[in-house]
Amino acid sequence: MTRTLQRYIFDLINRSQKLFVTLMKVMLPVMVIVRIAQEFGAIDVASELLTPVMALIGLPPEAGLIWATCALVSMYGAVGAFIGLAGTLDMTAAQLSALCAMMLFAHGLPVEQAIVKRAGASLIATTALRIGAAIGYGALVTWISNATGWLSEPVDFSWMAGGDVASAATGLAGWGEWLIQTLKSLVVSFAVITGLLVILDAMKVTGLTDKFTLAMLPILRVSGLSRDVAPVTTIGVLLGLTFGGALIIDEARRNNYPPRTLFLSLSWLSLSHSLIEDTAIMLALGADIWVILVGRVILTLIIIALLARLTLRWDRKPDQLATDTA
């Protein structure tokens, strides 16, 4: 028993270390590049480019800076931008909810999409999917509000004003602080990866994986996602793309998933992930739960179902395709 446990712990640490190193090879260079880009004003440039887009969606110019910070840096960076602009923001509940939903669809793109690419899906396709879904959904929410008056009440941002944390949150603090925060995040990432591997192993041994997959079958049928990746995909949906992507990298190495399975799973993760933490952050800002959670998840399932239909031929053999077209 003791030897078995020791062997498992050794194997677990070995798997965690390999997975962590794989992630760091992807994440660290991107994080450094993003940090340097911030120093040279990339956020301001992106904000200026997004201002016309915000106008088309029905959002104020300040939303461009917030979303640019979110897309290029992180969700927490965008929260810092929110706080820094609180004194000048003039938005309705629908506009706030639309912006928050856009942030949930597309945030931390340089790091997260690098992980998606490493896990086996197209970086360009999944990035375009996230940005397109964000803009389309944001425009839909503001259009419905303008047409019906839904969520048209103004939002009071006075409770945010007075906090000068935007510079730190958006990554404009010194390199020393950035390095410390990065090291902390790496330590936490290793611990979380190890914990998730233990959970997945425990689920397999106890049979919870099969039961969980069975419970997910109705959603899987609608979305077209393979039941083989249901457990790791769901973990990513609940906890985040970084950890979900890491687990998919590990599973793909061992099970050799076909390209279509990886693409659908990672597209799902790209559109809707970290439903617990990130949704809670947006609710704290004052967003409407029907917009940022229910509507977003429904749209994700619709998109994945459509992608599943469009990619049906990916996994078919050449002789099957010839038969279909004959």
Side-chain angles (χ1 to χ4, degrees):
M1 183 69 178
T2 304
R3 288 183 178 179
T4 302
L5 180 60
Q6 289 176 343
R7 194 159 49 243
Y8 172 74
I9 292 175
F10 178 80
D11 179 66
L12 175 66
I13 294 175
N14 187 44
R15 287 165 57 197
S16 301
Q17 183 179 3
K18 287 182 178 178
L19 196 52
F20 179 76
V21 170
T22 299
L23 278 180
M24 291 310 102
K25 286 180 179 179
V26 176
M27 292 176 62
L28 277 179
V30 176
M31 293 169 72
V32 172
I33 291 171
V34 169
R35 171 65 191 180
I36 293 173
Q38 287 178 255
E39 291 289 337
F40 284 93
I43 303 298
D44 294 333
V45 173
S47 173
E48 292 178 4
L49 293 175
L50 286 172
T51 297
V53 178
M54 296 298 107
L56 289 174
I57 295 174
L59 297 177
E62 294 86 354
L65 175 59
I66 295 171
W67 194 40
T69 304
C70 187
L72 296 178
V73 184
S74 68
M75 188 75 70
Y76 291 101
V79 172
F82 251 116
I83 295 173
L85 295 170
T88 60
L89 284 176
D90 182 15
M91 303 174 71
T92 65
Q95 289 175 318
L96 172 63
S97 299
L99 176 57
C100 288
M102 293 173 66
M103 292 162 58
L104 290 168
F105 273 120
H107 57 265
L109 295 180
V111 173
E112 291 191 347
Q113 294 312 107
I115 294 172
V116 167
K117 180 181 179 181
R118 181 65 182 82
S122 167
L123 181 145
I124 295 176
T126 52
T127 301
L129 191 65
R130 294 182 72 174
I131 295 175
I135 294 174
Y137 187 68
L140 177 64
V141 171
T142 56
W143 179 82
I144 292 175
S145 175
N146 292 334
T148 65
W150 175 57
L151 296 177
S152 59
E153 63 275 9
V155 179
D156 181 13
F157 292 102
S158 60
W159 62 276
M160 289 188 193
D164 187 18
V165 299
S167 62
T170 55
L172 300 179
W175 277 89
E177 182 178 345
W178 175 84
L179 180 60
I180 292 173
Q181 293 300 322
T182 300
L183 290 174
K184 287 181 179 179
S185 68
L186 296 183
V187 172
V188 172
S189 295
F190 182 81
V192 171
I193 288 171
T194 304
L196 290 178
L197 289 177
V198 171
I199 292 173
L200 285 177
D201 290 341
M203 288 175 65
K204 290 179 181 177
V205 171
T206 59
L208 285 177
T209 297
D210 294 334
K211 293 179 181 178
F212 187 80
T213 303
L214 185 63
M216 286 282 292
L217 280 180
I219 297 178
L220 294 177
R221 289 193 186 100
V222 172
S223 66
L225 189 69
S226 169
R227 62 183 294 162
D228 295 335
V229 291
V232 291
T233 301
T234 306
I235 286 178
V237 167
L238 295 177
L239 298 181
L241 191 150
T242 300
F243 304 123
L247 294 176
I248 289 177
I249 291 173
D250 184 58
E251 290 289 306
R253 279 175 172 172
R254 294 187 291 171
N255 299 304
N256 194 27
Y257 292 134
R260 179 174 179 268
T261 297
L262 289 174
F263 177 71
L264 291 176
S265 175
L266 291 163
S267 293
W268 189 339
L269 277 186
S270 295
L271 292 171
S272 289
H273 58 265
S274 191
L275 292 186
I276 298 174
E277 179 184 357
D278 289 353
T279 301
I281 294 172
M282 297 299 100
L283 288 174
L285 291 176
D288 182 80
I289 191 169
W290 289 97
V291 174
I292 65 170
L293 181 60
V294 179
R296 183 166 61 100
V297 171
I298 291 174
L299 178 61
T300 297
L301 291 177
I302 292 173
I303 291 175
I304 299 303
L306 291 174
L307 289 176
R309 285 184 172 273
L310 292 172
T311 57
L312 274 175
R313 295 191 172 192
W314 283 18
D315 293 341
R316 296 184 184 179
K317 297 179 181 179
D319 56 340
Q320 290 178 310
L321 291 176
T323 302
D324 291 342
T325 56

